[in-house]
Structure formats: C-alpha cells, structure tokens
Amino acid sequence: MVTFEEQTECVVNALFLDLLSEDESGYRNLETDSGGKASSGRKKYQGLLVSRPQGRTEDDLDIPFDPVVIASRLRRIGDQCNVDFERVSSEALAEVLRGKMEKFGAAVDSLITSWSNRNPELVYERAFLSVSVKLLMHLAKKVPDMLHPRYLVGAINGNSQVRNYIEAHGGWENLDN
C-alpha cells in the first residue's frame, strides 16, 4: 500500500516534470487519455520518475491513480490563482524569489492570507493548493535551476489541514473530480 506522502510525491513529481518539460503539451492533455495510465507519459527529469517515489520499485508500488492526471488537475487549480507575485509585499516571498527555497512554505502561507482576504469564498485548503501550485509555476519560470519538488511535497505533506481535505474528498484520485 502506498502512503499519502508517497502519493503526494508522485503527483508533485508529475507536476514538476510538466512545468519544466520542453514539451508541455504532452502532460497538459494526458488527462484525456483513454487508457488512464501514466505508462505512455512517463518521463524522467533530474532523476525523477513520475510513476514512483524515491526508493520504491514498480514491483512494490501500487498507485490507485494516474499521477499525471492529478498533476493536470492541480495545474488547473493553480491557474485559478491570480496573485501577481512581483507586486506582493511579503518578506518570505521575496526570499523565495531570491532563491531561498526553504522559505517556500512560509511564502505560501503569507500569500494565502492575502489572497483569501480578497476571495473569502475559498476554503483554506483549496487556496493553499491554488497558491502553492501557482507559486511553483512562477518559480519554474524565474528560478528553474533552484526548484525541486521536495518544497511543494513538504508543504503539502506538512500541512495536516490540506492532507485531511484531500483524504476527506476520497484522496488524490478524486481531487477536483
């Protein structure tokens, strides 16, 4: 059985590969594949494989969903965020934009507060996913060499509210379904 943390790693790796891939169209449209499997869309980037977490082999990993499809859904959630990161006043965000990626979680938290105040209809967990994915997308353009999936994986896995939200909705496979 695969843990929530391992599932999160698979999903974020797929999102990361999508954002840094030169051929974005291959990932953005995989959700419409009739087979629903990531096998045809597996890709490697800096040693990351979309289909499995580090330290796991295909023989001992049974993912109940296609991480590429979930990454596509996460990207759509991120697209809903309309924060202009260059105009936001946040010390944590400024540090992340200067390459201090260890401040990623703090930057997301400060951005959520600001964005949620303007969009009170959003639940915290949804705002968290939207802002964190949008920030990852922004950073992929600004500082791609400093970016690593562990920052978003850590932010999601370290936030019990977000984890509970995802699990309460039936897990990653039912996110935004």
Side-chain angles (χ1 to χ4, degrees), residues 5 28 67 124 133 153:
E5 290 81 6
R28 292 211 64 169
Y124 166 80
V133 170
V153 169

mmCIF file with all atom_site columns, all heavy atoms in Angstrom, residues 5 28 67 124 133 153:
data_model
loop_
_atom_site.group_PDB
_atom_site.id
_atom_site.type_symbol
_atom_site.label_atom_id
_atom_site.label_alt_id
_atom_site.label_comp_id
_atom_site.label_asym_id
_atom_site.label_entity_id
_atom_site.label_seq_id
_atom_site.pdbx_PDB_ins_code
_atom_site.Cartn_x
_atom_site.Cartn_y
_atom_site.Cartn_z
_atom_site.occupancy
_atom_site.B_iso_or_equiv
_atom_site.pdbx_formal_charge
_atom_site.auth_seq_id
_atom_site.auth_comp_id
_atom_site.auth_asym_id
_atom_site.auth_atom_id
_atom_site.pdbx_PDB_model_num
ATOM 1  N N   . GLU A 1 5   ? 1.949  10.309 1.698   1.00 0.00 ? 5   GLU A N   1
ATOM 2  C CA  . GLU A 1 5   ? 3.181  11.032 1.405   1.00 0.00 ? 5   GLU A CA  1
ATOM 3  C C   . GLU A 1 5   ? 3.791  10.580 0.083   1.00 0.00 ? 5   GLU A C   1
ATOM 4  O O   . GLU A 1 5   ? 4.271  11.399 -0.704  1.00 0.00 ? 5   GLU A O   1
ATOM 5  C CB  . GLU A 1 5   ? 4.195  10.849 2.545   1.00 0.00 ? 5   GLU A CB  1
ATOM 6  C CG  . GLU A 1 5   ? 3.820  11.560 3.829   1.00 0.00 ? 5   GLU A CG  1
ATOM 7  C CD  . GLU A 1 5   ? 2.799  10.814 4.685   1.00 0.00 ? 5   GLU A CD  1
ATOM 8  O OE1 . GLU A 1 5   ? 2.429  9.656  4.355   1.00 0.00 ? 5   GLU A OE1 1
ATOM 9  O OE2 . GLU A 1 5   ? 2.350  11.394 5.689   1.00 0.00 ? 5   GLU A OE2 1
ATOM 10 N N   . ARG A 1 28  ? -0.066 18.321 -20.327 1.00 0.00 ? 28  ARG A N   1
ATOM 11 C CA  . ARG A 1 28  ? -1.287 19.085 -20.070 1.00 0.00 ? 28  ARG A CA  1
ATOM 12 C C   . ARG A 1 28  ? -2.515 18.388 -20.607 1.00 0.00 ? 28  ARG A C   1
ATOM 13 O O   . ARG A 1 28  ? -3.607 18.594 -20.113 1.00 0.00 ? 28  ARG A O   1
ATOM 14 C CB  . ARG A 1 28  ? -1.172 20.470 -20.689 1.00 0.00 ? 28  ARG A CB  1
ATOM 15 C CG  . ARG A 1 28  ? -0.106 21.257 -19.935 1.00 0.00 ? 28  ARG A CG  1
ATOM 16 C CD  . ARG A 1 28  ? -0.354 22.671 -19.905 1.00 0.00 ? 28  ARG A CD  1
ATOM 17 N NE  . ARG A 1 28  ? -1.546 23.033 -19.197 1.00 0.00 ? 28  ARG A NE  1
ATOM 18 C CZ  . ARG A 1 28  ? -1.829 24.266 -18.887 1.00 0.00 ? 28  ARG A CZ  1
ATOM 19 N NH1 . ARG A 1 28  ? -1.017 25.217 -19.204 1.00 0.00 ? 28  ARG A NH1 1
ATOM 20 N NH2 . ARG A 1 28  ? -2.930 24.563 -18.261 1.00 0.00 ? 28  ARG A NH2 1
ATOM 21 N N   . PRO A 1 67  ? -0.753 9.734  -11.624 1.00 0.00 ? 67  PRO A N   1
ATOM 22 C CA  . PRO A 1 67  ? -0.221 10.995 -11.102 1.00 0.00 ? 67  PRO A CA  1
ATOM 23 C C   . PRO A 1 67  ? -0.210 12.122 -12.134 1.00 0.00 ? 67  PRO A C   1
ATOM 24 O O   . PRO A 1 67  ? -0.336 13.283 -11.777 1.00 0.00 ? 67  PRO A O   1
ATOM 25 C CB  . PRO A 1 67  ? 1.210  10.651 -10.682 1.00 0.00 ? 67  PRO A CB  1
ATOM 26 C CG  . PRO A 1 67  ? 1.328  9.188  -10.726 1.00 0.00 ? 67  PRO A CG  1
ATOM 27 C CD  . PRO A 1 67  ? 0.199  8.646  -11.540 1.00 0.00 ? 67  PRO A CD  1
ATOM 28 N N   . TYR A 1 124 ? -9.671 27.354 2.937   1.00 0.00 ? 124 TYR A N   1
ATOM 29 C CA  . TYR A 1 124 ? -8.220 27.450 3.123   1.00 0.00 ? 124 TYR A CA  1
ATOM 30 C C   . TYR A 1 124 ? -7.463 26.411 2.304   1.00 0.00 ? 124 TYR A C   1
ATOM 31 O O   . TYR A 1 124 ? -6.462 26.723 1.647   1.00 0.00 ? 124 TYR A O   1
ATOM 32 C CB  . TYR A 1 124 ? -7.872 27.300 4.612   1.00 0.00 ? 124 TYR A CB  1
ATOM 33 C CG  . TYR A 1 124 ? -6.410 27.054 4.843   1.00 0.00 ? 124 TYR A CG  1
ATOM 34 C CD1 . TYR A 1 124 ? -5.504 28.109 4.824   1.00 0.00 ? 124 TYR A CD1 1
ATOM 35 C CD2 . TYR A 1 124 ? -5.917 25.759 5.022   1.00 0.00 ? 124 TYR A CD2 1
ATOM 36 C CE1 . TYR A 1 124 ? -4.143 27.885 4.991   1.00 0.00 ? 124 TYR A CE1 1
ATOM 37 C CE2 . TYR A 1 124 ? -4.557 25.527 5.199   1.00 0.00 ? 124 TYR A CE2 1
ATOM 38 C CZ  . TYR A 1 124 ? -3.680 26.590 5.184   1.00 0.00 ? 124 TYR A CZ  1
ATOM 39 O OH  . TYR A 1 124 ? -2.339 26.355 5.337   1.00 0.00 ? 124 TYR A OH  1
ATOM 40 N N   . VAL A 1 133 ? 0.663  25.866 -6.007  1.00 0.00 ? 133 VAL A N   1
ATOM 41 C CA  . VAL A 1 133 ? 0.926  25.422 -7.383  1.00 0.00 ? 133 VAL A CA  1
ATOM 42 C C   . VAL A 1 133 ? 1.256  26.622 -8.270  1.00 0.00 ? 133 VAL A C   1
ATOM 43 O O   . VAL A 1 133 ? 2.185  26.568 -9.085  1.00 0.00 ? 133 VAL A O   1
ATOM 44 C CB  . VAL A 1 133 ? -0.264 24.611 -7.939  1.00 0.00 ? 133 VAL A CB  1
ATOM 45 C CG1 . VAL A 1 133 ? -0.116 24.362 -9.431  1.00 0.00 ? 133 VAL A CG1 1
ATOM 46 C CG2 . VAL A 1 133 ? -0.399 23.289 -7.190  1.00 0.00 ? 133 VAL A CG2 1
ATOM 47 N N   . VAL A 1 153 ? 6.171  19.137 -2.046  1.00 0.00 ? 153 VAL A N   1
ATOM 48 C CA  . VAL A 1 153 ? 5.850  17.881 -1.347  1.00 0.00 ? 153 VAL A CA  1
ATOM 49 C C   . VAL A 1 153 ? 5.852  18.137 0.151   1.00 0.00 ? 153 VAL A C   1
ATOM 50 O O   . VAL A 1 153 ? 4.917  17.748 0.867   1.00 0.00 ? 153 VAL A O   1
ATOM 51 C CB  . VAL A 1 153 ? 6.854  16.759 -1.721  1.00 0.00 ? 153 VAL A CB  1
ATOM 52 C CG1 . VAL A 1 153 ? 6.680  15.554 -0.808  1.00 0.00 ? 153 VAL A CG1 1
ATOM 53 C CG2 . VAL A 1 153 ? 6.699  16.350 -3.173  1.00 0.00 ? 153 VAL A CG2 1
#
